[in-house]
Structure formats: C-alpha cells, structure tokens
Amino acid sequence: AVVSTQSTGGCGEYMVEKHLQECLKLAAAGLSDDSAEVRNAALYALGQFAEHFQPEISKFSGEILPILCAKISLDMGNENSALTRTYYALESLCENMGDKIVPFLPDLIEKLVGVLSGAGSNAGKEMAISAIGAVTSAAEQEIVPFLPRIMEHMKVYLMAPNTEEALSLKTQAIDTLGIFARSVGKEVFLGMADECVQLGVSNLQTAEDPDLKRCLYGLFAAISSTQPAALGPVLEPLVRKMFESLIS
C-alpha cells in the first residue's frame, strides 16, 4: 500500500489506466490486516487514490464508501492516526464525487451525525463536522433533507462558550456553516440566513482567537454571496469589527 501511494504522484495516469482496480483491492485487503501500521497505510493509500485518481475512482465509490463508513465508529477513539486517515480518505473521495454521492447520503449522514451525538473524542467530532462540509460541497442542494438533523447537533458547538476545549469544534462548525450557505441554494438558505448572521455577530463580539475570527469572516462572506440583504442590519458594526481586526 505504501509503494502504491508513493506512485500516485508521478505515475498516476499510468496506474489509473493499468492498475487502478488492483490498487484498490490491495488497499481494501490492508484495511483488515492484523497490523495497525498496515491498516493505517491502507487508509492513507485510499485517501491518496481518492485525491489523485479522479474521476476514474468515482466508478468504485460504491465499494469504497461503505468500507469508510464502517470505519467511522466511536470505538476508534484511541486510534488517532487511523481516525485521521479514515476521514482524509472519506473527504478526498466525497469532494470529487458530485451528484454521484446522492445514493450514499442517508448512510453517510447517519454515521457522521452519530459521531456528533456520541461520546467520542473532540478530534473525531471535529473531523466529522469537516466531513459533513465535504459531503455538502459534493451533494449541494441534495443535502437539504438532512439539514434539520445536522443543524440540531451542530448548534451545540456553534453556541458553545469559547473555551479551549470547545474552540476547535466551534471553528470547524462555523466553517461548515459557510459551506451550507454556498451550497444549499438561495431559497433554502433564505430561511437560515438571519439566524446565521445573528450567530456570527454574537460570536464575533467575544472572539479573541484569530482562527475563530477568520472562520466568522468567512461565514459572513458566504452569506453575502447568497443572501446579502441579511447582512444589512449588522453591516456597520461588522465593518467596525473588521477594521479593529486589521489594526490589532
């Protein structure tokens, strides 16, 4: 799996034409190996294949996604490297699938929301929120039926105090909220825009972390691209905060 991964950069076109199916079989076999090192290498290989073997690898999404979904479980909490590589592979695959992801949405969202509502690590929840963003980027308006359930769990992190423990989760949730703004369509986001603006303004008032501020300004930029009128009532204090950030 490691050799296959290293070959993706310089020999990608040749491997796609001649050996893609063999590479995927090798990675799939590695996922069930007794050695944690081999399993991790296989997960990393899948992520590299998903990133570099586009669009051909999408033909095998029906085989790869169920494997990755099965790996997203709370009992991986102690396998940090495996968890990271699972989400890396999942995001790399989903980002390039486009509407081919639609048949997999129910299972994907079920698994990812399950992580958010469970007792797993913050690192796992942060990666799950990021993966929801990747899925949304691919699915676009097809994600809409799942939004109420996703938002139900994301609001916990969006409205959390800015403690050290909660900050990374809040930052990722705000990033993903910006993806919703750009992906779900103007009509759908119209019903969410005012709440998102108020949530953003509320967080900006107390934000000190530079990364949190970056995500909040990114959220406002996303809102301005779909529902600019929603920013009208808060434009003056928002611009003032922007200038304060530039000066500081």
Side-chain angles (χ1 to χ4, degrees), residues 7-45:
S7 302
T8 57
C11 308
E13 186 175 341
Y14 175 80
M15 292 183 71
V16 166
E17 291 179 0
K18 304 291 185 181
H19 300 294
L20 178 55
Q21 198 158 10
E22 289 87 346
C23 287
L24 292 175
K25 286 181 180 178
L26 180 64
L31 292 175
S32 57
D33 195 272
D34 291 338
S35 166
E37 288 80 2
V38 174
R39 294 195 300 272
N40 286 350
L43 284 167
Y44 180 67

Side-chain angles (χ1 to χ4, degrees), residues 116-127:
L116 299 187
S117 61
S121 67
N122 278 1
K125 292 179 179 181
E126 184 179 347
M127 286 184 276

Side-chain angles (χ1 to χ4, degrees), residues 3 8 27 46 60 90 108 159 174 195 209 226:
V3 174
T8 57
L46 272 180
F60 300 94
L90 180 66
L108 273 170
M159 301 174 72
I174 290 169
E195 184 178 6
D209 180 76
T226 54

Side-chain angles (χ1 to χ4, degrees), residues 66-143:
I67 294 173
L68 296 176
C69 280
K71 288 285 181 183
I72 301 172
S73 55
L74 294 178
D75 61 5
M76 292 178 64
N78 296 321
E79 295 185 52
N80 291 331
S81 59
L83 192 66
T84 300
R85 290 179 177 183
T86 297
Y87 280 108
Y88 164 61
L90 180 66
E91 288 199 37
S92 297
L93 184 65
C94 289
E95 283 174 348
N96 295 288
M97 285 182 68
D99 59 8
K100 293 185 180 69
I101 202 172
V102 174
F104 303 99
L105 287 177
D107 193 35
L108 273 170
I109 299 303
E110 181 71 25
K111 293 285 187 183
L112 294 170
V113 168
V115 174
L116 299 187
S117 61
S121 67
N122 278 1
K125 292 179 179 181
E126 184 179 347
M127 286 184 276
I129 295 170
S130 178
I132 289 172
V135 170
T136 300
S137 293
E140 295 185 336
Q141 294 186 27
E142 299 293 340
I143 200 72

Side-chain angles (χ1 to χ4, degrees), residues 157-163 167 170 174 198-210 212-213 216-217 220 241 244-245:
Y157 309 112
L158 290 166
M159 301 174 72
N162 294 338
T163 62
L167 199 56
K170 174 181 278 192
I174 290 169
Q198 293 306 316
L199 187 146
V201 170
S202 174
N203 274 287
L204 192 59
Q205 297 301 323
T206 58
E208 296 180 359
D209 180 76
L212 177 58
K213 290 182 180 180
L216 287 166
Y217 291 134
F220 293 130
K241 278 288 184 182
E244 289 175 6
S245 295

